[in-house]
Amino acid sequence: MTLNQVRAALARVGLVGIEADEERGAVVLTGAVASWDQYVSAGYAAAGQGFRGVVNRVEVSGLGQQPMALPKKADGSLDGLEYDVVVIGGGVIGCAIARELTRWSLSVALLEKEEDVAKHASSRNNGMVHPGFAPTPGSRKAYYNVRGNRLYDQVADELGFRFERCGSLVLLSASWHRLLYPVAARRARRNGVDGLGLLGRRAVLSREPNVWPGQRGAFYLPSAGIVAPYEVTAAYAENALQNGAAIHLNTVALGFTVHHGRIEAVETNRGTIRARAVVNAAGVWADRVAELAGDRFFTIHPRKGSIAILDKKTAVHQSMVFGLLRLKGVGHSKGGGITRTVEGNLLIGPNAIEVPGREDYSTDPTDLEYLMTHHLSLNVKLRPSDIITYFAGVRAATFEEEFIVEPSRSIANLVHAAGIQSPGLAAAPAIAADVSEMVAAQLARQMEVRANPNFRSRRQVSPRLAQLPLTERARLIRQNPAYGRIVCRCETISEGEVVDAINSTLPALTLDGLKRRVRTGMGRCQGGFCTPELISLIARETGQPPTAVTKSGPGSELLVAETKVGATNGGGGHQ
Amino acid sequence: MKPHCDVMVIGAGPAGLAAAVAAHDQGVRVCLVEREARPGGILKQCIHDGFGILRYESKLSGPEYAQCELEQVIDRGIEIFPETFLLSLGRGKTGFELTLQNRWQGVFTLTAAALVAATGCRERTGRQILLHGTRPAGVYTAGTVQRLINIDGYLPGRRCVILGSGDIGLIMARRLVLEGAEVVGVYEIRDEPSGLTRNLVQCLDDYGIPLHLSTTVTRLHGEKRLEGVTVCPVDAENRPDPARAQYLPCDTLVLSVGLIPENEILEPLGVELDRATGGALVDQTLMTNVPGVFSCGNALHVSDLVDHVSESGEIAGRWAATHARRVRRIGASQPIALEGELLYLVPQRLDPQAKGPVNAWFRSRRTLRQARLEVWAGERRLLERTYPLVRPPEMERIVFDLDGQAWAGQRFRVILREVRSGG
């Protein structure tokens, strides 16, 4: 509990010349190291020594502060707006919080620096709704994971997103690992995980005939589930909008006006917004947002993970999630495995690598090789040639490896939802419920907070034809023939669905936005056939020239000019 | 109840159009479904010439060739369902059952006694050849670039790097230059180009575009729009040598790294595929292992000349009609053993009962000078041909005859070997 303990811990990992001080109950590290690995080791060494958190200000030689990608837009269009609550961050956590806040008669705004929600970790994970077995008993992670998992059936029903409780298998690589079952059972009981079972080798094979032949049984976790994480995020955001919340995209919090321990306003690139309460759900940037409010007590250190997506053809080879029991643990990750998606692809990964770049989504050959050697073999039917694409995401990890879900201790109207890495997606419904209560409690001290009589928990959903019975499809096509015209052939997405997404309450105006909303371009051709179609549909619906259409916001324009002959008015695919 | 038609052709590209005409000319009822608004398939965007040298003895543009084929379909009054998407394929009481969707009829079902799958191919993407780095705008497959420029009338970039020396990549290199874009170079991981010689001359040499062999792109750079690529020479095992890596600024990467036959729609029927071609395993009638299901064109194996595509369509269409009329006796087809330097041979099986000349197409594994091809049935040689040069990019076509012999039980072999000069 003393700084000397921290200093001793730093010395033990061979780090000298790092200063440790205390600030607001957190340990603050300063000094300089030669490598990012040393920066990370310093943070871990200081964690768990009884302080509230680690503020790692150690500099890494040759490495400046990692820049945040900022919106290009700068106008005063939001200047002077006033909200009861401003939520910073449009990931699954921020969007879920915004939606939960609309249960009260509060004016709610969500600020997202990107041109769409779910651009970072919330669209860059394997979509698993973890059962809650992995987190340490007694931790906030365990509490929110298990509670969030249980809430998913209801939330999925209300918001109309797909959720499957497919179950997961933690495969055992040695027969004696079965002896660990009582330990596992105790952990499951302490965390409140429902239905843990022990399956013998044959029982595993009878359920999953293509499983890795080296397995010697498995822990079976029936409550594990899967969702499309971007679909969940957009569903929360849309329901928040339908209940009166505002979502300001391309809007980044640049500072706070703090007076007498209260935030009075949020300064953004689009003007100053007055706020009675603020929620920090800024993902990998949550420590910076806390710092802007003068309330930093933790550090986000980015941990990258890569995931490979397999062709939908592979869906028949597996019905549950596969992982491997790793006694030693792989760093601070659950070790990855093979997950299914609600759309039918299999996913392999993720791995876990500490990186300095908080928005570094580049992939490397070594990541993919790791996935192929460690994960692909868990299912004997899978081949490297089944991989259609791969991507990386960055986890917003703290050195305590724990969620931060709490009201600020120094700012009276700020709540932090930070350090929400895996199993954050599973935990989101529960975190959102608690955070909205915390905000309501803070606001209740200055205003009357009543229930919103107009709150509608059910989201109005646009039809997704591929999920409907043929008779229902036929009826929709009669109503709107655009549902009859397929533009994304690999995923069978119609023009009508694309147009709905472009014109929805949460418009998808980019190629990537459409991909997250309706799945166009996610199939085996990876947009080869539908990209020109989608460009012309976005242009037509928004009244922009096709040269203004982007992949992922300004700067990512897809076309540079008309050809010498000139454009042919929308292309030959339809006339 | 009678099926809706005798032969249903899926896809109205060059293979499907030829199949429909050939089936119709056998006196059966033919239907053609096409997911795009206009027939012609990928030919619609191939505005360069060189199509039809074998079939029409002239150098047509892609749209002209497609028009010639389409007119024959129209003249015969063959029923076409345009902009109609095949949702699923199954078996019903009266034959194959196709569940289709379009904007006019909604969702509907058609039945057919025989099917011809002429579904074409798709392009391999960057991630499918394990490209790494960022995922910015400006990375396109060559066919997408071709569509954007030639159909939509938009230029996708100003400074382009082309990866892969496949024919579409070479053609798009020239097309981009004609549109005022700069083409930095064409990079090919192999030590020989994968496109046709005529395209290497007419698209690269004539425009001063450099071709870099044994070199590949290893990394993409740029967050929003592509800013550059790392190119890197490779060793004999295709391993990049990081010491010789070079950064090339560019805003567009055009990928011409292979075509993959599209047969996913056939999988529920249990159609077996050939790993070497990516297409169905067929006999000389181009029938798959599923009786009544035929395959042709680029869905069967990727051809470099449309003339071959049309020819395979004709064969599949004709035999599908024969099958629908139940005049063909299906014998037990036998596999053909490949020996020597053959990458693949289509057909992969022979049905000794199906009379008439056998058309076959093959590619070699590597470039061969003075090569000899032999076709054997048991101890009898059916065909022998020598070639001064055989290159993997240039598909070869052979014809041999099975007539008048009882071949059942005999072993079929096709051998391709390099002949030592003076040997």
Side-chain angles (χ1 to χ4, degrees), chain B residues 7 9 13-26 55-56 65 69 72 76 116 118 284-286 294-297 306-322 359 361 397:
Chain B
V7 175
V9 180
L17 292 170
V21 167
H24 175 93
D25 290 353
Q26 297 291 310
R55 196 167 165 84
Y56 294 100
Y65 185 102
E69 298 289 314
Q72 298 185 54
R76 284 164 177 78
V116 178
Q284 72 270 41
T285 69
L286 305 189
F294 294 77
S295 174
C296 58
V306 69
D307 312 69
H308 292 307
V309 166
S310 296
E311 185 186 27
S312 76
E314 279 179 359
I315 296 169
R318 194 169 66 239
W319 283 103
T322 312
N359 287 264
W361 302 270
R397 173 178 174 275

Side-chain angles (χ1 to χ4, degrees), chain B residues 359-379:
Chain B
N359 287 264
W361 302 270
F362 72 87
R363 284 181 199 272
S364 60
R365 277 181 208 285
R366 58 185 184 93
T367 298
L368 306 174
R369 286 166 212 288
Q370 286 306 316
R372 185 166 59 226
L373 181 101
E374 293 171 25
V375 181
W376 290 81
E379 296 306 307

Side-chain angles (χ1 to χ4, degrees), chain A residues 313 362-364 389-390 473 481 483 485 489 524 528 551-552 557-558 560-561 563-564 568 571-572, chain B residues 35-36 83 87 101 103 127 130-133 135 140 144 151-153 155 178-179 219 224-225 264:
Chain A
K313 286 180 226 176
S362 63
T363 58
D364 285 286
T389 190
Y390 35 91
R473 255 197 235 210
Y483 288 129
R485 184 172 163 259
R489 49 178 82 169
R524 50 179 74 100
K551 179 174 184 286
S552 58
E557 284 71 19
L558 291 151
V560 296
T563 53
K564 290 175 179 171
T568 50
Chain B
R35 58 187 163 196
E36 291 191 20
E83 244 182 329
L87 292 172
Q101 169 179 321
R103 62 166 94 193
R127 300 270 153 165
L130 308 183
L131 266 184
H132 284 277
R135 289 176 88 173
Y140 295 102
T144 306
I151 305 262
D152 299 312
L155 187 62
L178 291 173
E179 283 300 334
R219 202 167 179 85
K224 289 283 188 178
R225 174 86 197 194
E264 281 74 15

